[in-house]
Amino acid sequence: MSGLAMPAPNAAVLGRRAEIAAALRNIVPGEGVIDHPDGMRPFESDGLTAYRQMPLVVVLPENTDQVSRVLRYCHDNDIRVVPRGSGTSLSGGALPLADGVLLGLSKFNRVLEVDYQNRVAVVQPGVTNLNVTNTVQGNGFYYAPDPSSQIACSIGGNVAENAGGVHCLKYGLTANNVLGVEMVLITGEIIRLGGKHLDSEGYDLLGLMTGSEGLLGVVTEVTVRILQSPETARAVLVGFPTSEDAGQCVADIIGAGIIPGGMEMMDRPAIHAAEDYVHAGYPRDVEALLIVELDGPQGEVDDLLARVEKIAGDNNASTIRVSQDETERQLFWAGRKAAFPAVGRISPDYYCMDGTIPRKQLPRVLARTRELSEKYDLRVANVFHAGDGNLHPLILYDANIPGELERAEAFGADILKLCVEVGGVLTGEHGVGVEKRDLMPEMFNEDDLKQQQRVKCAFDEKHLLNPGKMFPVLHRCAELGRMHVHKGQLPFPDIPRF
Amino acid sequence: MSTILKPETAGGVLETIAWAAGEEKPLEVRGRGTKAGIGRPVQAEYTLDLSALTGVTLYEPDELVLSARAGTPLAEIEALLLENNQQLDFEPMDYGLIHGTETGGGTIGGVLAANLSGPRRLKAGAARDHILGVAAVSGRGEMFKSGGRVVKNVTGYDLSKGLAGSWGTLAAITDVTFKVLPRAETCAAMGSSCEISAAAHLPAEAAGRLPELASADGAVTALRLEGFGPSVAYRKEALKAVIAGAGSFDELDVGASESLWRAIRDAAPLAEGAAPLWRVSVAPTAGLDVLAALASLSVRHFYDWSGGLIWLAVDDGADDAGAELIRTAVAASGGGHATLVRGSPALRTAIPPFQPQEPALAALSKRLKDNFDPNGILNPGRMVAGG
């Protein structure tokens, strides 16, 4: 992806920059429009920092009406728009376009309503993920999806990326925890999908919006489910002599009917990096470490802890430690949660991958990853959402050494192709963005991608919202709309008729 | 009489739809037809019957995943899961009971096409929350797949969810992959904060129709606890403390509890007869307000989903079966939808069985339909007149 090709900038739009900024200032007065390079600099990249691009102009609207007018203006004037939440995307989902308006939702930062009886919170999209939990936890509630960027990432961005986190094994992804949105189409039309009711009818447009990476619409309000905080939570730290043993232990826990609140695995390089960084008390003499968290009513957690310890012992666990209090539980997690920065300490740069595989393929994928590591001559550390098969290999490289970034990217692409080959997918939770865009044909054939683009055509026929992301080739909607008819006789000797 | 085309492979489905698209011949798309009484009646010269696409193609209990061809009977899949002590956690309801047709007759493809759910909706969601992947043929006669066999997957738009609740109007589903989950070790039903997995309220008339509640005298509020034995025992004690003094309560054993929740799931208290039947989804606390606004109608009802799902039988023969009153009440209570899930073909033609949408939303839905099925050959008019 180093030679990333983005849609060619529209010269006419580039030439109208001052006029466009002025028109946007009419809609969003005051400080809400930024067109000075110094002011726009913070927006030139997101969490995928290898790629940078200055936008045409930045606009930070404050209310839905302004969003609607900005989008209608851009639609009427054929100007591209890149929506942005907190800019924490790891796949370049918010990478600006030279001829595109960057539409930031950071001013949509209010919690509008908490309705405990119906167990929902209504929030603006710029509210951070963690802030939802912080708002309700005093009353014994929390918001379940917890991506590791939760301190910074926004709920609107979570909807765009269908964010996950360690708890999604038991509590689901963003898609399972959002009940409704208010959103604005590129035409400026404001629509509502879902609400406080559990079931929605008609086409599941909310399901299509969740994970659509800013290509279908701009979310301006989100209704999320809040859950009652578990009565208690305890974590077990289990070390294994081989990753096969750890993988079997995961399979046996699930086979026993136990769905833990979280189940995370780290390999030896990741364990060492994390332990050196936070001193969580991880064993150093193991090849794989599992953190299994059980949460729920006290009586249930006590019962399941005993079952998990037994299963771990049966799978050759070399160490088993159960957290004895909340401080220790937090410490067990501290190492895992700091795994990325911990790896950042032992390498100038690292590149985080995000494939998902069927769990049983883990030993094969880890073995092949080690071979690739030798081939590309780059180290790799693995952290793994073991319960749901989501693998995060961290490829260590040094961007200052010519060719290393390209090698890291080629290595990463090979890992993702391997994930698809064993029955998995390119991205579990970080999104396609620009990063995995050109790998989409590894997983989808042309007809598969055409159907996805037809969804895009229903929402945004002119391809103005976040073009250049997700799809390797953008077909014009008129071209996609053509019917290829097969005239002829009812064709079926092989179709029984009754 | 519609000519039935019954392909036995996905390739045959593709061939059929490609032909129909070219000839602009509308198709009634169905599995085993157990939900044919829901939605606007479809008039089509040909019926595309998917019930010959059968068989579980992948089942890995350790990986919590099952794939099947779309025409595989749900009952067959549930039996297979039961052998492995697993289940579809979203507890798909069976519309056979209220339509007086075969029960246990639906297909797994129909489960997704109708986005089925059950009392566990509160905790576990609906079919849309458990679908991992699909293969289907669009109204253009193009075969496509989406999703995969793993839970964590954000690769491209989630067309699997896009087909949930689409009632065969966007594409004919040929294959589905669902997440499956362990069955609870035990469960108990009683009448909080105790991790209940279902909560229903039955007025005396509805409760009186269920043999499992024979010992109750009057209205019943039913709560379900599920999980590992020690956990259920622990939560049961906690629940008793919460509801102490709120009235008398009974506890059902596992068998009676399963049968009670199946009856609630399938709307058994209102199944008898042919009165128009509504399924109304609102915010849980809004259920009471909606009912209160219907005082001028003669209705029988009960609540599931902690008040958020109202099953409503309309007895007084209003011309529109109460549609306007009910939908006005839903809108006034903060929004949701009212679906006519039982009614004569004439009634289902005269009033929209699915909740009408706001114009901008309706236009978007129509554009989605037009993109997937530009000639309007798949179940034309089933969800929306002219759509």
Side-chain angles (χ1 to χ4, degrees):
Chain A
M1 90 183 159
S2 307
L4 183 69
M6 294 301 282
N10 181 334
V13 170
L14 292 176
R16 291 170 57 205
R17 183 165 177 269
E19 174 205 329
I20 291 166
L24 293 173
R25 280 204 174 90
N26 271 333
I27 301 172
V28 183
E31 308 289 300
V33 175
I34 305 167
D35 60 351
H36 190 277
D38 291 345
M40 297 202 298
R41 188 75 60 197
F43 299 94
E44 69 174 353
S45 77
D46 58 15
L48 187 70
T49 51
Y51 295 92
R52 287 166 198 279
Q53 169 64 55
M54 287 290 265
L56 183 73
V57 55
V58 174
V59 59
L60 305 173
E62 290 176 25
N63 56 51
T64 303
D65 178 59
Q66 290 178 353
V67 172
S68 166
R69 287 162 63 201
V70 166
L71 290 179
R72 192 183 327 137
Y73 169 78
C74 291
H75 181 256
D76 292 348
N77 288 276
D78 293 325
I79 301 164
R80 292 165 173 155
V81 179
V82 176
R84 176 184 167 113
S86 300
T88 57
S89 167
L90 293 171
S91 55
L95 180 68
L97 293 166
D99 64 343
V101 169
L102 189 108
L103 177 68
L105 277 302
S106 55
K107 293 190 176 171
F108 281 72
N109 58 4
R110 286 185 301 130
V111 173
L112 299 175
E113 185 194 356
V114 180
D115 179 346
Y116 289 107
Q117 282 200 310
N118 284 310
R119 306 208 162 180
V120 296
V122 182
V123 304
Q124 292 189 320
V127 171
T128 63
N129 173 291
L130 191 60
N131 203 13
V132 179
T133 290
N134 287 344
T135 302
V136 298
Q137 69 182 1
N139 288 296
F141 285 80
Y142 75 113
Y143 177 57
D146 56 344
S148 55
S149 56
Q150 69 180 155
I151 190 166
C153 66
S154 70
I155 290 293
N158 288 179
V159 172
E161 302 289 335
N162 192 13
V166 301
H167 278 103
C168 60
L169 173 65
K170 183 171 177 183
Y171 298 102
L173 302 152
T174 300
N176 311 111
N177 288 279
V178 167
L179 291 179
V181 298
E182 175 194 76
M183 60 178 277
V184 186
L185 300 176
I186 186 69
T187 52
E189 291 167 289
I190 301 165
I191 60 173
R192 283 192 167 271
L193 305 174
K196 291 183 180 179
H197 45 291
L198 290 169
D199 220 28
S200 276
E201 201 196 62
Y203 296 140
D204 192 350
L205 303 175
L206 185 56
L208 289 171
M209 266 304 286
T210 312
S212 63
E213 304 194 9
L215 274 79
L216 298 184
V218 176
V219 168
T220 47
E221 184 191 295
V222 188
T223 302
V224 299
R225 301 191 75 167
I226 50 173
L227 302 180
Q228 210 156 32
S229 308
E231 193 176 288
T232 187
R234 292 174 78 185
V236 198
L237 209 56
V238 194
F240 295 92
T242 69
S243 59
E244 283 81 358
D245 288 328
Q248 191 56 48
C249 182
V250 170
D252 289 351
I253 288 171
I254 285 171
I258 301 168
I259 306 293
M263 185 146 57
E264 296 290 304
M265 194 190 294
M266 301 162 80
D267 72 355
R268 192 183 183 97
I271 298 165
H272 282 232
E275 181 59 19
D276 290 343
Y277 185 35
V278 299
H279 312 292
Y282 292 169
R284 290 173 175 276
D285 55 345
V286 297
E287 285 303 317
L289 183 71
L290 263 191
I291 308 173
V292 183
E293 175 156 299
L294 299 158
D295 63 353
Q298 184 78 50
E300 174 172 320
V301 171
D302 291 345
D303 171 45
L304 295 186
L305 269 177
R307 297 189 198 214
V308 166
E309 283 185 79
K310 165 91 170 55
I311 293 168
D314 291 345
N315 279 291
N316 308 319
S318 50
T319 57
I320 302 179
R321 278 174 56 203
V322 179
S323 66
Q324 296 305 312
D325 53 37
E326 184 58 18
T327 312
E328 193 172 27
R329 184 184 76 87
Q330 298 283 3
L331 186 62
F332 285 2
W333 278 112
R336 166 62 186 88
K337 287 189 171 170
F340 290 14
V343 166
R345 287 173 74 240
I346 60 170
S347 171
D349 299 284
Y350 67 88
Y351 182 35
C352 174
M353 306 312 296
D354 173 45
T356 304
I357 56 172
R359 275 184 305 269
K360 66 176 179 190
Q361 298 286 353
L362 179 67
R364 177 175 162 196
V365 170
L366 287 183
R368 181 76 186 124
T369 301
R370 281 191 288 270
E371 288 168 25
L372 288 168
S373 166
E374 282 176 28
K375 176 185 161 190
Y376 286 101
D377 193 22
L378 292 172
R379 291 178 296 162
V380 62
N382 281 289
V383 298
F384 187 49
H385 299 304
D388 41 34
N390 188 198
L391 187 63
H392 292 313
L394 303 169
I395 299 169
L396 281 52
Y397 72 100
D398 183 347
N400 288 322
I401 299 176
E404 279 221 347
L405 170 62
E406 290 71 18
R407 282 213 322 274
E409 288 179 349
F411 184 1
D414 278 357
I415 292 176
L416 295 185
K417 288 175 191 169
L418 174 65
C419 291
V420 174
E421 186 187 311
V422 302
V425 300
L426 294 172
T427 173
E429 57 185 359
H430 295 172
V432 176
V434 295
E435 186 203 20
K436 282 153 291 218
R437 183 191 74 185
D438 296 337
L439 290 172
M440 287 287 269
E442 295 290 330
M443 205 171 131
F444 298 114
N445 67 29
E446 197 170 325
D447 276 352
D448 299 338
L449 289 171
K450 274 188 189 165
Q451 305 311 319
Q452 294 193 30
Q453 291 194 25
R454 290 204 173 97
V455 174
K456 170 74 169 165
C457 291
F459 281 79
D460 172 23
E461 195 181 359
K462 290 159 92 172
H463 286 333
L464 293 174
L465 268 176
N466 219 6
K469 318 290 167 68
M470 192 182 286
F471 297 113
V473 180
L474 271 180
H475 294 287
R476 292 167 42 141
C477 290
E479 183 192 326
L480 284 167
R482 234 170 266 141
M483 279 289 286
H484 300 280
V485 296
H486 315 259
K487 287 273 181 189
Q489 295 298 306
L490 191 58
F492 356 125
D494 57 340
I495 299 174
R497 299 173 63 175
F498 299 89
Chain B
M1 201 47 200
S2 183
T3 303
I4 295 174
L5 309 171
K6 194 173 178 180
E8 289 172 353
T9 63
V13 175
L14 176 63
E15 219 176 322
T16 309
I17 294 181
W19 167 81
E23 298 294 320
E24 301 191 24
K25 297 284 190 196
L27 299 170
E28 179 175 357
V29 184
R30 52 176 252 177
R32 294 173 63 170
T34 57
K35 293 177 273 295
I38 302 175
R40 300 181 73 256
V42 175
Q43 307 288 341
E45 194 181 334
Y46 295 90
T47 294
L48 172 57
D49 177 337
L50 300 168
S51 67
L53 298 176
T54 56
V56 172
T57 49
L58 176 144
Y59 178 34
E60 293 179 5
D62 282 357
E63 300 271 338
L64 305 177
V65 61
L66 179 142
S67 305
R69 296 199 175 90
T72 310
L74 173 61
E76 190 181 313
I77 286 169
E78 290 188 322
L80 175 65
L81 291 172
L82 186 58
E83 280 172 29
N84 290 276
N85 210 26
Q86 293 190 331
Q87 64 188 5
L88 293 170
D89 210 39
F90 56 95
E91 213 174 0
M93 72 166 294
D94 186 339
Y95 273 112
L97 198 64
I98 59 172
H99 287 126
T101 57
E102 177 193 12
T103 54
T107 64
I108 190 72
V111 166
L112 181 64
N115 190 29
L116 296 185
S117 58
R120 212 180 283 111
R121 183 75 174 84
L122 269 186
K123 178 170 175 278
R128 74 180 291 274
D129 295 291
H130 296 255
I131 185 73
L132 300 180
V134 294
V137 178
S138 76
R140 295 172 171 275
E142 288 176 351
M143 191 182 285
F144 65 95
K145 64 177 182 300
S146 175
R149 49 161 294 183
V150 294
V151 174
K152 280 281 241 354
N153 179 9
V154 293
T155 321
Y157 296 141
D158 195 346
L159 300 184
S160 314
K161 280 194 181 63
L163 295 183
S166 66
W167 295 88
T169 62
L170 296 176
I173 301 166
T174 59
D175 296 88
V176 294
T177 298
F178 273 105
K179 174 169 82 171
V180 299
L181 282 169
R183 266 170 65 83
E185 192 174 87
T186 187
C187 73
M190 295 181 52
S192 82
S193 62
C194 303
E195 299 210 358
I196 54 168
S197 66
H201 177 80
L202 299 96
E205 199 274 338
R209 289 173 178 269
L210 298 179
E212 299 83 2
L213 302 178
S215 67
D217 181 19
V220 170
T221 296
L223 303 174
R224 179 170 64 183
L225 298 169
E226 292 179 298
F228 289 97
S231 168
V232 169
Y234 177 89
R235 286 182 283 150
K236 200 157 63 185
E237 290 313 309
L239 184 58
K240 279 182 184 167
V242 171
I243 62 176
S248 66
F249 63 86
D250 282 317
E251 188 184 326
L252 301 186
D253 65 24
V254 173
S257 171
E258 283 183 355
S259 122
L260 171 68
W261 287 104
R262 199 178 308 119
I264 290 171
R265 182 193 76 182
D266 297 342
L270 304 176
E272 233 178 83
L277 186 63
W278 293 90
R279 184 174 179 275
V280 181
S281 169
V282 290
T285 54
L288 283 173
D289 295 339
V290 170
L291 240 288
L294 304 180
S296 65
L297 279 181
S298 161
V299 298
R300 288 169 290 134
H301 74 283
F302 72 93
Y303 302 96
D304 196 357
W305 301 357
S306 195
L309 180 70
I310 314 166
W311 289 99
L312 203 60
V314 179
D315 287 324
D316 69 355
D319 282 350
D320 69 347
E324 197 180 331
L325 256 181
I326 294 167
R327 286 175 170 154
T328 304
V330 167
S333 75
H337 65 82
T339 313
L340 181 72
V341 293
R342 182 173 69 192
S344 68
L347 180 62
R348 287 183 283 121
T349 309
I351 62 162
F354 294 101
Q355 179 88 18
Q357 297 178 327
E358 296 295 319
L361 180 55
L364 177 58
S365 298
K366 176 79 164 74
R367 291 198 297 276
L368 189 65
K369 165 79 174 170
D370 289 345
N371 268 282
F372 276 75
D373 179 22
N375 289 348
I377 59 163
L378 300 180
N379 277 346
R382 179 132 193 219
M383 293 181 77
V384 189

